[in-house]
Amino acid sequence: MQYIDPHIHMVSRVTDDYETLARMGCVGMSEPAFWAGFDRSSADSFRDYFRQLTDFEPRRAQSFGIQHYTWICINAKEAENVRLARDVIGLIPEFLQLPGVLGVGEIGLNKNTRNEAIVFFEQVELAERLAEQILIHTPHLHDKYKGTRMILDMLADFPRLDRRRVLVDHVEEHTICGVLESGYWAGMTLYPVSKCTPQRAVDMVERYGPERLLVNSAGDWGPSKPTAVPDFIVAMRRRGHPESLIKRIVYDNPIEFFSQSRNFHLPAETVAATSAPAQPRGTNGAATPQAPAKSTAR
């Protein structure tokens, strides 16, 4: 099954991963701006990183037939230095105009500090003023619930913000309900040793349904698995869910959300290939034989 990974940090992956993802059915991905593995010392370092996201990575992905999209921001892990953060925020508008840039992200909170909140708030203001979509990071640690509540409370200060154009990522069982009930999109991030497993993601699909729900691999610097979305597909099939429901979550939903950005364009050949009827599969995920279609020719 062809799919789109809505959140994966390919700057931390080798080129062989692009080849593997293409073989697994990945036809598109979006890469939010993130941490570099160390704190950058100047706004110029961010400028070079944004060039990598908007120039080098799209070309690296395209060599394997994968469409690469990105998001621009200063992330929460580097938001403690508010002066530096404001210099970086000043760079963001020029990159938002480039092809494949979907909006401002991943902004959010890491340790739920005052400075993180200041930088998050100012980037939401920027996105709202420029009518950009937003991708939000929620804390990974034990204070995820508190951080998610802080984020939802701050977003409530923007009554004109179109909630259908905001994705709140890294939701888990104790945070997904508040995100969906507030009208935002929710992203489930699959990790091999932390956060959410494919099986837990299937549980949440069964409880909340597929509407405004995305699933992604993150694929970042820590232990992570860039092929986690295919793992989710297999987990859904093992539960007996139909191909149409799986496709909605891993392909149709990313397109529905991303299509709200003026810089999202999926090649017609990719859409046509994915629109072909999916083969029914058995409970083990294997394709089942199809009877020949009856001819309607006279």
Side-chain angles (χ1 to χ4, degrees), residues 226-248:
T227 56
V229 176
D231 289 347
F232 168 80
I233 293 171
V234 171
M236 287 283 286
R237 287 172 177 160
R238 284 177 172 165
R239 297 271 186 99
H241 291 293
E243 295 294 292
S244 57
L245 175 61
I246 303 171
K247 176 175 174 286
R248 177 174 178 184

Side-chain angles (χ1 to χ4, degrees), residues 177-195:
C177 184
V179 171
L180 291 175
E181 287 186 347
S182 298
Y184 303 107
W185 284 76
M188 300 180 290
T189 304
L190 310 179
Y191 272 81
V193 295
S194 63
K195 297 184 185 172

